[in-house]
Amino acid sequence: MVIAVLVTSVAAFAASAAWYGVFGPVWARLSPAGAAAAPSPWRMGAEFARTVVLVTAFALLARAVGVDGVPGALGLALAVWAGFPAVILAGSVLHERVPVRLAALHAGDWLVKIAVVAVLLGVWR
């Protein structure tokens, strides 16, 4: 499982980097954090560590609920996405006045990232 988690973490990290590579100009317009020229090495390392935690948690959850294969993993991914990052980001819109477009941008990243995790771990199992 360690190899699966590491390979999947690299892929999910790359997918997220690609997402913000494409939508970086939108992020830069909506957030001062997005306007930064390039992330620092320690932030990249911290983001990769967050991704490893996400992949590990998803793998353990999938195993605990008996998900096996890509279709089941994608179903779990959709439930996890809707129940956690989407709800948290909606809360940031409601309570912190985060612009809807900014929250949607981040929600899209989470959906892509969790889908990549689900497919790769689903194939691995």
Side-chain angles (χ1 to χ4, degrees):
M1 182 166 111
V2 172
I3 299 293
V5 165
L6 289 176
V7 169
T8 301
S9 296
V10 170
F13 181 82
S16 186
W19 178 268
Y20 285 106
V22 170
F23 293 106
V26 175
W27 186 28
R29 283 193 307 272
L30 296 173
S31 169
S40 64
W42 77 267
R43 285 186 194 267
M44 296 291 281
E47 188 58 36
F48 184 72
R50 285 174 15 111
T51 303
V52 171
V53 170
L54 167 71
V55 173
T56 302
F58 190 90
L60 293 172
L61 179 61
R63 180 184 289 170
V65 299
V67 168
D68 198 15
V70 174
L74 283 171
L76 179 62
L78 185 57
V80 166
W81 175 80
F84 296 98
V87 168
I88 291 167
L89 289 164
S92 71
V93 170
L94 291 171
H95 302 292
E96 297 175 15
R97 295 190 172 104
V98 169
V100 172
R101 290 183 65 207
L102 180 59
L105 175 76
H106 293 315
D109 169 56
W110 272 102
L111 183 59
V112 167
K113 188 176 347 193
I114 291 175
V116 167
V117 169
V119 168
L120 291 178
L121 291 180
V123 167
W124 212 285
R125 290 186 49 117

